[in-house]
């Protein structure tokens, strides 16, 4: 880590400011727009009494809109720059979370989550990674690792915070407080610290994908669909299986700690190995961790499983853009990243919905088996990129 810090210190001042600002904003944005849902979902199913499937559909809608908005965000980043685009995302967060908190019906809930999806597209990892990559492609892996380390801490910070707010004031007040406060903090950081423009990039995400990038779609889709389902539904799954809600929340929080560890490992010597093979090992490890959640109700073992699952997921979150950067030239990275996000959107949106639906009709054992199977399939597909196709540039 000292070597990694020295590497960033020797980079341009814009990179250092962006790393600090985006680390803080990713911590807050992931906590508000993503992890808070896992905590409030059970409360939403109790009051006003929506089913867990319909509640999960709202989250899936947000993920779907986020991915479909990626090409537009890539275009806007090229035209207006990261400061304007990400600040607009913070403003949209206030509007969207206010609608979520006050939603009197499922229609309003779905409208709120459609707006949250647009806010996700403008504020979460994808635009942040584009900014870091274009600011300094040589230092991108370590810069991305630092920023995603902060994002990984979001569950550790915001799961207990959201739980406390829900217990004290109810889920509606909790969502309103988190959304409003979080958006003000992130908006100010975007305005103060992000550059108006970043290096040369292709703003139009319509160029044709290469054969190599097409081969990335399958592992990305399988791994992200499974990972999103775990994050969104692990608390609900554990509570349904008789685990104390407080312990279930701690399991999700432990996954955040694991993500930090996984990303720190990738920024060091471990990260020198083939990114495709590292992603394959991480996907298998996460499959084993989520399977362990089915075979034990012991709090210590569940916390260990949550930590291991988070470590694996955190590792892959850094590796995905690193793998992609090996297949496309730098000037096309933003558009290629947007295309990849758009293709994986349907899998990310379908993941929680399919798993929640399976749980409703067949039980959580079968639902969690679907998650583990998707991760194993992703591991095979990642390994095939290197060992069979050998397509990495």
């Amino acid at each position: 880590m000292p070597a990694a810090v020295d590497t960033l210190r020797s980079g341009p001042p814009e990179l250092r400011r962006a790393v600090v600002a985006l680390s803080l904003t990713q911590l807050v944005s992931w906590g508000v727009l993503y992890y808070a849902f896992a905590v409030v979902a059970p409360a939403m199913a109790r009051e006003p009494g929506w089913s867990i499937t319909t509640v999960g559909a709202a989250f899936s809608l947000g993920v779907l809109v986020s991915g479909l908005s990626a090409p537009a965000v890539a275009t806007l980043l090229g035209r207006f720059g990261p400061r304007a685009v990400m600040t607009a995302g913070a403003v949209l967060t206030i509007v969207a979370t206010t609608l979520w908190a006050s939603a009197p019906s499922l229609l309003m809930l779905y409208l709120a989550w459609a707006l949250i999806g647009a806010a996700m597209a403008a504020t979460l990892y994808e635009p942040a990674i584009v900014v870091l990559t274009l600011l300094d492609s040589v230092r991108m892996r370590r810069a991305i690792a630092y920023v995603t380390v902060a994002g990984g801490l979001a569950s550790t910070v915001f799961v207990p915070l959201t739980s406390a707010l829900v217990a004290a004031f109810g889920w509606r007040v909790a969502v309103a407080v988190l959304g409003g406060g979080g958006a003000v903090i992130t908006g100010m950081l975007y305005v103060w610290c992000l550059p108006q423009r970043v290096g040369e990039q292709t703003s139009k995400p319509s160029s044709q994908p290469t054969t190599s990038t097409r081969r990335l779609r399958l592992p990305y889709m399988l791994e992200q669909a499974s990972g999103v389902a775990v994050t969104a539904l692990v608390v609900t799954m554990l509570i349904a299986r008789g685990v104390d809600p407080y312990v279930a929340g701690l399991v999700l929080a432990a996954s955040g700690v694991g993500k930090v560890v996984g990303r720190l490992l990738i920024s060091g010597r471990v990260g020198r190995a083939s990114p495709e093979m590292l992603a394959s090992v991480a996907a298998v490890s996460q499959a084993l961790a989520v399977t362990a959640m089915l075979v034990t109700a012991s709090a210590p073992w569940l916390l260990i499983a949550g930590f291991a699952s988070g470590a694996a997921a955190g590792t892959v979150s850094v590796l995905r853009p690193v793998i992609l950067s090996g297949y496309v030239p730098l000037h096309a990275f933003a558009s290629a990243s947007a295309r990849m996000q758009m293709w994986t959107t349907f899998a990310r949106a379908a993941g929680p919905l399919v798993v929640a639906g399976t749980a409703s009709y067949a039980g959580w054992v079968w639902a969690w088996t679907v998650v583990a199977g998707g991760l194993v399939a992703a591991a095979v597909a990642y390994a095939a990129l290197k060992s069979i196709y050998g397509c990495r540039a």
Side-chain angles (χ1 to χ4, degrees):
M1 289 305 297
V5 172
D6 289 341
T7 300
L8 285 183
R9 284 176 178 169
S10 64
E14 295 84 358
L15 178 65
R16 295 195 294 272
R17 286 197 298 270
V19 167
V20 172
L22 291 173
S23 294
L24 294 172
T25 59
Q26 291 301 304
L27 170 69
V28 175
S29 295
W30 279 97
V32 172
L33 297 175
Y34 200 87
Y35 290 107
F37 175 86
V39 177
V40 303
M44 293 168 67
R46 292 191 301 269
E47 187 279 316
W50 296 320
S51 73
I52 193 63
T53 301
T54 56
V55 169
F59 185 87
S60 293
L61 176 62
V63 174
L64 177 64
V65 172
S66 175
L68 294 179
S69 302
V73 170
T75 300
L76 292 172
L77 282 172
R79 184 174 300 172
F80 299 107
R83 183 186 299 172
V85 172
M86 299 188 81
T87 302
V91 173
L92 184 58
T93 296
I94 297 176
V95 176
T97 52
T98 300
L99 286 177
W100 177 18
S102 60
S105 64
L106 284 174
L107 179 61
M108 186 66 72
L109 177 69
Y110 292 155
L111 173 61
W113 270 92
L115 294 177
I116 287 173
M120 286 179 176
T123 58
L124 296 187
Y125 283 150
E126 283 75 14
I129 287 172
V130 168
V131 172
L132 296 174
T133 301
L134 295 179
L135 280 174
D136 195 328
S137 61
V138 174
R139 298 169 177 83
M140 64 170 289
R141 184 180 299 203
R142 286 180 174 137
I144 291 170
Y146 287 147
V147 170
T148 54
V149 160
L153 284 170
S155 63
T156 305
V157 174
F158 278 86
V159 167
L161 175 60
T162 306
S163 297
L165 288 173
V166 170
F169 305 108
W171 72 267
R172 294 183 185 275
V173 173
V175 168
V177 169
L178 291 171
V184 169
I185 292 171
T186 58
M188 290 190 299
L189 287 169
Y190 294 142
V191 171
W192 292 340
C193 300
L194 289 189
Q196 288 186 338
R197 300 282 178 180
V198 287
E200 304 241 343
Q201 68 181 84
T202 300
S203 62
K204 295 183 179 180
S206 58
S207 57
Q208 292 298 315
T210 65
T211 300
S212 298
T213 56
R214 289 193 188 99
R215 290 169 177 163
L216 292 176
R217 293 174 186 168
L218 179 61
Y220 278 34
M221 291 173 71
L222 289 169
E223 183 266 324
Q224 290 189 60
S226 302
V228 169
V230 171
T231 299
L233 297 170
V234 63
V235 173
T236 304
M237 184 275 290
L238 291 173
I239 292 174
R241 296 187 62 242
V243 176
D244 182 88
Y246 179 74
V247 173
L250 286 179
V251 171
L252 183 58
S255 74
V257 178
K259 287 179 181 179
V260 171
V261 173
R263 288 160 182 166
L264 289 175
L265 287 173
I266 287 299
S267 69
R269 285 191 171 185
V270 174
R272 298 177 185 176
S274 162
E276 294 90 345
M277 295 309 297
L278 286 172
S280 179
V281 171
V284 170
S285 301
Q286 190 175 12
L288 293 174
V290 299
T291 300
M293 297 177 187
L294 291 176
V295 299
T296 181
S298 168
W301 286 109
L302 285 173
L303 291 174
I304 292 172
F307 175 87
S309 175
T315 297
V316 179
S317 68
V318 177
L319 292 172
R320 283 195 300 266
V322 172
I323 293 171
L324 179 62
S325 70
Y327 298 124
V328 297
L330 181 61
H331 68 83
F333 182 84
S335 58
S337 178
R339 284 198 309 271
M340 194 62 65
Q341 185 185 0
M342 185 172 62
W343 273 102
T344 57
T345 287
F346 295 102
R348 288 162 57 94
L353 192 59
V354 169
V355 173
T358 303
S360 297
Y361 290 102
W364 281 106
V365 172
W366 281 106
W368 230 234
T369 300
V370 169
V371 172
L375 289 166
V376 170
V380 173
Y382 274 125
L385 287 172
K386 187 69 174 179
S387 62
I388 297 177
Y389 296 115
C391 61
R392 183 173 172 81

